[in-house]
């Protein structure tokens, strides 16, 4: 779902270097990849899959899911501590964005996996009279989960839940940028599962690269579009199927007549939660001309209600986390400086502190189209504001960019709202809110084109980690037998009759 910001083999200006692994600017060292150990664990999981999990029943999978749920609940205090150490994430925000979603995914899978596993009967054409057809959901096998740093716990547990529910084994490669949470995941897995069921390999991008040399049956990657392309190319060598949960510039459109106070409050919450390090955070705002001043006023009021009256209050508020490392801080603060140099105006916030990787919640108006902040995914608590004369112009601006992971529209005029939803394309969309559509396990979550391939959550996650095998069962008497050679006149008549009435 959300952004992995490390390169597997190379880096660009928008991806921080893999050597930086904590909220400080220090460099953490990691042991070199051990391909022999990776191969050993891979082989162990392959054996366990074929002997145990491939033929597992719903009750067997529920046992594993319940063990994982108990571990999450037991280790909750340690999970909060780990995230606090990694990038000063507030315990309540960890509950809201890491613990609760993990528990919800697990409980949903425990409740429904028996139903999900049942073969699905489908219709059989009359021309194949007597036969029965169904779709059987079988596990793919040994899977690789490469999880990101921005929600480092939930975005490892959610795909793991889906993998286990579908009957797979899993190797997890957590992010090196959040080392405390990675250690915690390793501890959880070792205390909960056999090595042949689930394993963790910590380390930097070289570990990811080495793991992807193995012929996994499925690779689930959460991260940037740039790295997603690398993952897809690596998977192609072994013809592994892939799920890519990427990102992009998710727009928010306020249509004429919208309640600016409510829209501002929701947008501010969604944009600065986790210091903006959320792949479905609104990445730019499209606002009707003449409403910028009022929106900024309401946004400032929302920030004050959340984090305090002054800039000092916000900076000292323990509920506001930091950017994950110095490289990301330099990247996002660089966006602000360049936008201003090109004519943009900081109309809210703008304060930064490199010693803490701190960026104040910031709004920038009059941002030129060629500023990097309008080209790259921001991944920080900064929101550019663009204005439009009419809704067609707003839609055109959205269509001028690659398809985003999410799109948000605010207003009360259904004609305007439906116009935006019908004329744009995005992985998902929400009306009069942001981000919370992810909390519904009955909705698939995923991107389209540059923002991702495939989807998950709930049933959709089970389906992602399953192979949909078609099963055709022939009756004792088969109508098709009448069409076997030799092709006599009778066969010709039967073919004509079948084409006319049954095809």
């Amino acid at each position: 779902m959300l952004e992995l910001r490390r390169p597997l083999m190379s880096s660009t200006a928008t991806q921080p270097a893999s050597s930086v692994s904590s909220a400080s600017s220090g460099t953490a060292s990691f042991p070199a990849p051990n391909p022999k150990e990776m191969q050993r664990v891979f082989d162990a999981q392959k054996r366990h899959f074929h002997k145990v999990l491939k033929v597992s029943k719903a009750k067997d999978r529920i046992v594993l899911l319940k063990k994982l749920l108990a571990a999450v609940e037991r280790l909750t205090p340690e999970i909060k501590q780990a995230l606090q150490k990694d990038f000063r994430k507030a315990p309540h925000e960890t509950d809201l964005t890491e613990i609760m979603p993990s528990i919800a995914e697990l409980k949903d899978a425990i409740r429904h996996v028996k139903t999900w596993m049942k073969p699905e009967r489908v219709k059989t054409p009359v021309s194949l009279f007597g036969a029965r057809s169904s779709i059987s959901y079988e596990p793919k096998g040994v899977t690789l989960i490469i999880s990101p740093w921005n929600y480092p716990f939930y975005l490892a547990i959610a795909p793991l839940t889906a993998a286990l529910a579908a009957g797979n084994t899993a190797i997890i490669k957590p992010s090196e940028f959040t080392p405390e949470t990675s250690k915690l995941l390793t501890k959880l897995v070792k205390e909960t599962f056999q090595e042949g069921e689930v394993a963790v390999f910590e380390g930097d991008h070289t570990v990811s690269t080495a793991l992807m040399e193995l012929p996994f049956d499925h690779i689930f990657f959460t991260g940037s579009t740039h790295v997603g392309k690398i993952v897809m190319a690596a998977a192609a060598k072994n013809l592994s199927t892939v799920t890519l949960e990427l990102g992009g510039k998710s727009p928010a459109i306020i249509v004429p007549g919208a309640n600016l106070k409510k829209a501002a409050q929701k947008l501010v919450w969604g944009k600065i939660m986790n210091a903006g390090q959320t792949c479905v955070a609104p990445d730019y705002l499209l606002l009707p001309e003449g409403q910028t001043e009022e929106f900024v006023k309401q946004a400032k009021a929302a920030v004050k209600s959340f984090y305090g009256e002054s800039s000092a209050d916000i900076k000292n508020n323990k509920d506001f986390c930091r950017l994950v490392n110095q490289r990301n801080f330099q990247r996002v603060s660089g966006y602000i400086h360049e936008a201003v140099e090109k004519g943009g105006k900081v109309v809210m916030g703008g304060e930064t502190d490199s010693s803490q990787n701190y960026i104040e919640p910031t709004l920038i108006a009059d941002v030129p189209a060629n500023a990097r902040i309008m080209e790259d995914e921001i991944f920080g608590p900064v929101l550019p504001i663009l204005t439009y004369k009419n809704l067609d112009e707003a839609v055109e601006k959205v269509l001028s960019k690659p398809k985003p992971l999410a799109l948000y529209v605010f207003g009360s005029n259904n004609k305007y709202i439906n116009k935006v939803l019908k004329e744009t394309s995005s992985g998902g969309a929400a009306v009069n809110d942001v981000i919370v559509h992810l909390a519904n396990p009955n909705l698939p979550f995923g991107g389209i084109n540059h923002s991702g391939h495939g989807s998950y959550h709930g049933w959709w996650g089970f389906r992602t980690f399953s192979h949909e095998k078609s099963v055709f069962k022939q009756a004792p008497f088969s109508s098709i037998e009448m069409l076997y050679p030799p092709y006599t006149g009778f066969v010709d008549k039967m073919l004509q009759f079948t084409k006319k009435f049954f095809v």
Side-chain angles (χ1 to χ4, degrees):
M1 165 176 102
L2 308 149
E3 288 290 315
L4 169 65
R5 289 289 173 176
R6 67 183 186 284
L8 295 173
M9 302 168 193
S10 62
S11 63
T12 69
T14 60
Q15 275 84 32
S18 60
S19 60
V20 183
S21 60
S22 69
S24 70
S25 59
T27 299
S29 59
F30 299 96
N34 187 337
K36 288 185 178 180
E37 179 65 6
M38 293 175 181
Q39 184 70 59
R40 185 190 67 79
V41 173
F42 179 90
D43 290 342
Q45 291 205 354
K46 191 172 183 179
R47 287 193 299 271
H48 187 76
F49 170 73
H50 286 292
K51 290 181 179 181
V52 180
L53 295 183
K54 180 72 167 64
V55 293
S56 60
K57 297 180 179 179
K59 64 179 182 179
D60 303 314
R61 300 182 190 182
I62 289 171
V63 168
L64 294 178
L65 293 167
K66 285 184 174 180
K67 286 171 65 177
L68 180 54
L69 175 60
V72 172
E73 293 174 337
R74 183 181 74 254
L75 293 174
T76 289
E78 294 182 45
I79 298 166
K80 292 180 180 180
Q81 290 172 11
L83 283 157
Q84 178 71 24
K85 290 177 180 178
D86 278 332
F87 55 113
R88 240 184 80 167
K89 188 160 182 172
H92 291 91
E93 197 162 282
T94 295
D95 252 333
L96 178 65
T97 62
E98 304 269 8
I99 308 299
M100 286 173 54
S102 298
I103 291 173
E105 285 285 341
L106 282 160
K107 288 186 175 180
D108 184 67
I110 290 167
R111 284 194 297 267
H112 297 114
V113 68
K114 186 176 181 180
T115 300
W116 294 342
M117 289 176 65
K118 291 180 179 179
E120 179 186 349
R121 288 286 300 272
V122 296
K123 291 182 178 180
T124 303
V126 177
S127 58
L128 298 175
F129 176 77
R132 291 182 298 168
S133 304
S134 65
I135 300 170
S136 178
Y137 295 93
E138 66 176 25
K140 288 188 173 180
V142 184
T143 67
L144 173 63
I145 297 169
I146 304 176
S147 59
W149 56 261
N150 57 332
Y151 293 91
F153 187 78
Y154 169 61
L155 291 178
I157 297 300
L160 176 60
T161 299
L164 293 175
N168 302 279
T169 69
I171 291 176
I172 302 172
K173 165 55 180 74
S175 174
E176 67 272 25
F177 292 165
T178 47
E180 295 298 323
T181 307
S182 293
K183 291 177 186 176
L184 190 280
L185 283 167
T186 300
K187 174 183 176 179
L188 182 153
V189 166
K190 285 185 176 179
E191 291 179 353
T192 308
F193 299 105
Q194 301 174 33
E195 185 180 65
E197 295 168 338
V198 185
V200 177
F201 280 93
E202 294 183 70
D204 62 14
H205 66 285
T206 61
V207 173
S208 301
T209 302
L211 281 167
M212 289 194 300
E213 292 294 323
L214 297 170
F216 284 96
D217 296 293
H218 189 77
I219 298 175
F220 189 103
F221 169 77
T222 305
S224 69
T225 300
H226 166 74
V227 182
K229 293 177 181 179
I230 298 172
V231 172
M232 198 167 187
K237 295 177 182 178
N238 293 304
L239 295 180
S240 303
T241 56
V242 294
T243 300
L244 302 176
E245 295 298 335
L246 309 177
K249 295 194 72 64
S250 296
I253 302 175
I254 294 180
V255 302
N259 184 319
L260 287 185
K261 181 178 180 180
K262 285 188 176 181
Q265 185 181 48
K266 292 176 183 296
L267 285 164
V268 164
W269 173 75
K271 182 60 189 179
I272 62 183
M273 178 178 68
N274 208 40
Q277 298 167 121
T278 304
C279 68
V280 288
D283 221 52
Y284 63 101
L285 173 64
L286 290 164
L287 192 64
E289 284 186 345
Q291 295 189 9
T292 300
E293 184 177 348
E294 179 63 21
F295 177 84
V296 172
K297 175 185 173 182
Q298 297 298 340
K300 287 180 176 178
V303 171
K304 287 181 179 179
S305 69
F306 292 158
Y307 299 110
E309 289 289 325
S310 66
S311 292
D313 290 336
I314 298 169
K315 186 175 182 180
N316 294 323
N317 193 308
K318 294 180 180 180
D319 292 339
F320 187 74
C321 82
R322 300 298 186 252
L323 272 71
V324 72
N325 53 37
Q326 181 66 198
R327 183 67 174 269
N328 265 2
F329 168 82
Q330 294 292 345
R331 179 178 57 80
V332 178
S333 59
Y335 289 154
I336 299 173
H337 297 317
E338 192 227 21
V340 171
E341 287 173 359
K342 290 188 173 182
K345 298 175 183 177
V346 174
V347 291
M348 185 185 84
E351 181 184 330
T352 64
D353 184 346
S354 62
S355 68
Q356 295 187 30
N357 295 332
Y358 168 77
I359 295 180
E360 184 180 7
T362 300
L363 296 178
I364 307 177
D366 302 327
V367 181
N370 65 343
R372 283 178 55 213
I373 200 169
M374 287 308 303
E375 296 172 355
D376 301 338
E377 186 175 8
I378 301 169
F379 239 58
V382 184
L383 184 65
I385 300 175
L386 309 178
T387 59
Y388 63 87
K389 292 183 177 65
N390 56 65
L391 206 51
D392 284 330
E393 182 183 345
V395 169
E396 283 301 316
K397 287 182 178 179
V398 173
L399 295 178
S400 70
K401 300 183 182 299
K403 296 175 182 179
L405 185 56
L407 179 143
Y408 305 112
V409 56
F410 290 84
S412 56
N413 186 312
N414 286 330
K415 180 180 178 181
Y416 291 157
I417 291 170
N418 290 333
K419 176 182 174 66
V420 171
L421 294 177
K422 288 181 178 180
E423 296 183 14
T424 62
S425 179
S426 58
V431 178
N432 291 321
D433 216 328
V434 296
I435 297 177
V436 294
H437 60 294
L438 275 68
N440 184 353
N442 299 306
L443 289 174
F445 174 72
I448 177 172
N449 296 129
H450 277 74
S451 56
H453 289 186
S455 57
Y456 74 125
H457 288 186
W459 150 249
W460 305 97
F462 172 87
R463 186 176 177 181
T464 287
F465 281 92
S466 299
H467 167 59
E468 297 171 346
K469 182 168 68 176
S470 59
V471 178
F472 180 87
K473 293 184 178 181
Q474 187 57 270
F477 170 76
S478 169
S479 58
I480 204 73
E481 292 174 12
M482 293 188 291
L483 305 179
Y484 286 174
Y487 296 123
T488 61
F490 172 78
V491 171
D492 184 64
K493 290 180 181 180
M494 289 301 299
L495 283 170
Q496 298 305 319
F497 180 77
T498 300
K499 284 191 291 183
K500 184 175 181 179
F501 295 104
F502 299 121
V503 175

